[in-house]
Amino acid sequence: MRALPITATRVSTNRPPQPHNVDTLDRAAAPAPRVRFTDAQIEMAHGAGGKASRRLVEGLIAPSFANPVLAQLSDAAVFSLGGTRVATTADGYVVKPLRFPGGSIGELAVNGTVNDLAVSGARAHALMATLIVEAGLPSDVLRAEIETMAGAAARAGVPIVGGDTKVVEHGMADGLYVTTFGIGIVDQRASLGPERIATGDRVLLTGPIGDHGITILLARGDLDFETDLRSDTRTVWPFVDALLEACGSGLRWMRDPTRGGVATALNELVRGSRHGIAISEECVPLRSEVRGACELLGLDPLHIANEGQMLALVADDVADAALAAVQALPGGEQAACIGEVRDTPAGTVIATTAYGGTRVVDMLVGDPLPRIC
Amino acid sequence: MRALPITATRVSTNRPPQPHNVDTLDRAAAPAPRVRFTDAQIEMAHGAGGKASRRLVEGLIAPSFANPVLAQLSDAAVFSLGGTRVATTADGYVVKPLRFPGGSIGELAVNGTVNDLAVSGARAHALMATLIVEAGLPSDVLRAEIETMAGAAARAGVPIVGGDTKVVEHGMADGLYVTTFGIGIVDQRASLGPERIATGDRVLLTGPIGDHGITILLARGDLDFETDLRSDTRTVWPFVDALLEACGSGLRWMRDPTRGGVATALNELVRGSRHGIAISEECVPLRSEVRGACELLGLDPLHIANEGQMLALVADDVADAALAAVQALPGGEQAACIGEVRDTPAGTVIATTAYGGTRVVDMLVGDPLPRIC
């Protein structure tokens, strides 16, 4: 799950800061653009992970929480703790329904938090979970989620070391909300950060997109559409581990494209930078059911949430080895190179379509699929 | 705020484990008593921090999350991370109303998490916050809480390094729920744990009890009762720091008595142990407004939540110095020694009343004041 950390240091950088030349400043060290938040009330779109979420965080939250370490949108905060480089992440889960084909809120909560650490180059060391329960929730529903969380944590090899439980009156929540907190130690092989991307870097994607979002949509029964689609929720750490091993410092940046999808993740990467990204739509792995549902609903698969896929930017000279390493892992067989980093148009994500045209791929606007995670 | 961690190692102990003699086993290393959770659905009392909460955690949550480190109810989980002894805590806040005399949900969220770390002997190093917002919440309400959190964090000297924001439909939350996660480094002077208490230890309390709980009750307007009462929400770290300095290893155990109050905190300490605690009701600092409200409502002030008070068990020979150290701090003037550790009755908290009688002080049962934090 994408956290929206208010501040986070970059994992590492090999370049010294050059404060007198704005063009060569590390992006992570550059002040965030000034955003004003003038909306009168909070709407669903502010939680969707797209433009409205970004405006809420940058315009309302980040200015108040400003730390010496400057604001940067990232999946986890990375800092030194007693001399150890750690990553921490906090994620809220409000998915509806609580259970769906391939997963449940408890499984998302564990995997999503493990994944936020993983894409920051950190293996999860401990999790904590806080439950907000609506009075009247059948105990068996809660028990099922607790057992699911325990199973997911065991598969990810991370203990759940604590938590908190609060109960609110019937009608003051929707069954169960879960928040998880994770802490991990940053892998010494990791040297990651948006400032490390360079022209010619390749964009890898670990598998087909949109399975999670469309599964949730169908599980709500809003669409009369029968498929075998399942959420892709899983831990991506094995992919991260393989990439760290295969690429060394050629691994530049990673992100799990959850709320807002691949389009939003890539836009956040290049926004305000001197690089752009070009992807080829034909290269993006996509199941026919997801394609069909998106066409029916007028949704762009690049905006649909994933819970077990990962984007990685890697140097061109290690891209083949990186792709082979991911494809060799169970569940990574459909990994693909979907694009590359270019000089122009800077700050923009473009896609070449199956028909040979080119279109601008924007961040998610609005919230076509609320409470997806 | 009391977290209900599923497992936590003790902060430290100077006694080697003696696995062949159950009587001398560290309490922290003893298996938790087996509890069965058979309630059909979750009720408000399961979130109240008393007996029902305990049954939920021990009967339903802890068995699934079982770790190699055995289950112990504590305010924070303590473990080694890259060779550094750290404490982490996770707390959910659902207080109603969001703002009340002396504080607000955002202030509770920061102070409560800082305090859970503090009573584990750890100074907060970083916080993360997750917001679950009801669609339609006026942005100014959210802005006020963000600013309050930033102010409380600044006063506690801890950065908020990240978080997450989710929005649910109107009617699916009650304005705003906040969860906070904290991580701190355990102070090297700390040698704390329930297994360290000994007969003759003294029970210190930093100030008058019940202010928070009764303030919330009155802020809801359920009682026609005018007072100047304010929540006591504040960070207790200065008291912890002073006690660590004054007592050394004579400081045995600390707890901030939030949900469930002083009675529940002390019962949790001695439950199943070979020690009991005797307190003197006359020695417990209590404002007349709190006493009056409790008498009117048939509540025991020892069950009422506090958000800025702390219990400390200290060795008899350092008790005077400990009390003087707390009383010398701003806000600690009313600190008192309220009781002592005894051999009998083991596992029980008793109180001598103003009339010279003795009564058993039980944990909180039910939820007389729901959504207090």
Side-chain angles (χ1 to χ4, degrees), chain B residues 100-104 107-108 155 208-219 227-234 287 289-290 305-309:
Chain B
F100 42 83
S104 71
E107 190 154 6
L108 287 189
R155 281 192 296 282
I209 62 170
D211 291 7
H212 177 73
I214 300 301
T215 297
I216 298 297
L217 181 73
L218 297 178
T227 73
D228 294 329
L229 214 55
R230 298 165 63 83
S231 168
D232 57 0
T233 180
R234 60 176 174 180
R287 294 185 208 280
E289 299 96 316
V290 173
N306 312 281
E307 291 291 339
Q309 303 303 339

Side-chain angles (χ1 to χ4, degrees), chain A residues 7 39 92 136 161 166 172 177, chain B residues 7 42 92 139 161 166 172 177:
Chain A
T7 60
D39 303 9
V161 298
K166 289 285 161 69
M172 293 296 172
Y177 301 142
Chain B
T7 60
I42 305 302
S139 299
V161 298
K166 289 284 161 69
M172 293 297 172
Y177 301 143

Side-chain angles (χ1 to χ4, degrees), chain B residues 338-357:
Chain B
I338 65 165
E340 62 180 18
V341 176
R342 294 189 181 168
D343 284 336
T344 55
T348 304
V349 179
I350 58 167
T352 50
T353 67
Y355 311 104

Side-chain angles (χ1 to χ4, degrees), chain B residues 75-125:
Chain B
D75 282 300
V78 175
F79 53 91
S80 174
L81 189 74
T84 301
R85 204 145 183 77
V86 302
T88 62
T89 186
D91 304 295
Y93 296 84
V94 298
V95 67
K96 180 171 75 171
L98 295 178
R99 302 221 136 209
F100 42 83
S104 71
I105 190 170
E107 190 154 6
L108 287 189
V110 169
N111 290 343
T113 297
V114 167
N115 289 349
D116 279 351
L117 297 176
V119 296
S120 302
R123 182 162 193 166
H125 187 91

Side-chain angles (χ1 to χ4, degrees), chain B:
Chain B
M1 201 70 31
R2 290 261 342 285
L4 293 170
I6 286 53
T7 60
T9 62
R10 55 220 137 100
V11 174
S12 113
T13 172
N14 296 326
R15 290 192 294 159
Q18 295 169 276
H20 299 299
N21 182 340
V22 170
D23 287 338
T24 57
L25 259 184
D26 282 344
R27 189 173 163 273
R34 281 211 169 258
V35 176
R36 283 190 63 200
F37 185 82
T38 55
D39 302 7
Q41 62 179 31
I42 305 302
E43 307 288 0
M44 295 302 288
H46 293 119
K51 282 196 172 175
S53 295
R54 182 109 194 174
R55 215 168 58 241
L56 173 70
V57 171
E58 292 188 355
L60 194 150
I61 300 178
S64 287
F65 288 175
N67 296 177
V69 182
L70 283 166
Q72 179 188 5
L73 276 178
S74 179
D75 282 300
V78 175
F79 53 91
S80 174
L81 189 74
T84 301
R85 204 145 183 77
V86 302
T88 62
T89 186
D91 304 295
Y93 296 84
V94 298
V95 67
K96 180 171 75 171
L98 295 178
R99 302 221 136 209
F100 42 83
S104 71
I105 190 170
E107 190 154 6
L108 287 189
V110 169
N111 290 343
T113 297
V114 167
N115 289 349
D116 279 351
L117 297 176
V119 296
S120 302
R123 182 162 193 166
H125 187 91
L127 303 182
M128 302 191 97
T130 294
L131 310 174
I132 296 177
V133 188
E134 182 186 11
L137 183 77
S139 299
D140 286 345
V141 172
L142 183 59
R143 191 187 311 273
E145 289 315 313
I146 295 295
E147 287 170 1
T148 297
M149 292 178 78
R155 281 192 296 282
V158 57
I160 298 177
V161 298
D164 192 17
T165 305
K166 289 284 161 69
V167 182
V168 295
E169 300 89 341
H170 184 64
M172 293 297 172
D174 196 4
L176 174 68
Y177 301 143
V178 179
T179 64
T180 32
F181 304 97
I183 183 159
I185 297 177
V186 177
D187 195 289
Q188 296 199 336
R189 296 168 294 179
S191 173
L192 305 168
E195 75 286 353
R196 293 205 61 240
I197 69 168
T199 302
D201 284 354
R202 308 282 287 281
V203 182
L204 298 193
L205 177 63
T206 50
I209 62 170
D211 291 7
H212 177 73
I214 300 301
T215 297
I216 298 297
L217 181 73
L218 297 178
R220 288 185 193 151
D222 299 340
L223 266 184
D224 193 14
F225 203 78
E226 290 240 337
T227 73
D228 294 329
L229 214 55
R230 298 165 63 83
S231 168
D232 57 0
T233 180
R234 60 176 174 180
T235 165
V236 299
W237 173 257
F239 300 125
V240 169
D241 190 38
L243 287 169
L244 286 167
E245 200 58 34
C247 303
S249 70
L251 181 60
R252 317 289 205 190
W253 173 91
M254 296 181 284
R255 171 73 51 98
D256 55 330
T258 55
R259 279 186 294 177
V262 166
T264 302
L266 293 179
N267 268 284
E268 288 187 350
L269 173 63
V270 299
R271 198 182 66 128
S273 90
R274 61 185 187 282
H275 295 295
I277 286 179
I279 62 175
S280 160
E281 283 193 350
E282 279 188 303
C283 296
V284 177
L286 191 65
R287 294 185 208 280
S288 57
E289 299 96 316
V290 173
R291 185 191 309 275
C294 284
E295 282 175 1
L296 201 66
L297 295 161
L299 298 172
D300 184 343
L302 292 170
H303 283 147
I304 308 295
N306 312 281
E307 291 291 339
Q309 303 303 339
M310 208 186 81
L311 290 160
L313 265 72
V314 298
D316 183 50
D317 61 351
V318 296
D320 291 344
L323 186 59
V326 172
Q327 286 175 335
L329 290 171
E333 300 82 359
Q334 295 184 67
C337 175
I338 65 165
E340 62 180 18
V341 176
R342 294 189 181 168
D343 284 336
T344 55
T348 304
V349 179
I350 58 167
T352 50
T353 67
Y355 311 104
T358 299
R359 67 178 178 104
V360 171
V361 178
D362 204 355
M363 288 176 75
L364 177 68
V365 178
D367 191 5
L369 299 176
R371 294 182 53 194
I372 209 72
C373 59

Side-chain angles (χ1 to χ4, degrees), chain A residues 230-241:
Chain A
R230 297 165 64 83
S231 168
D232 58 0
T233 180
R234 61 177 174 178
T235 165
V236 299
W237 173 258
F239 300 125
V240 169
D241 190 37

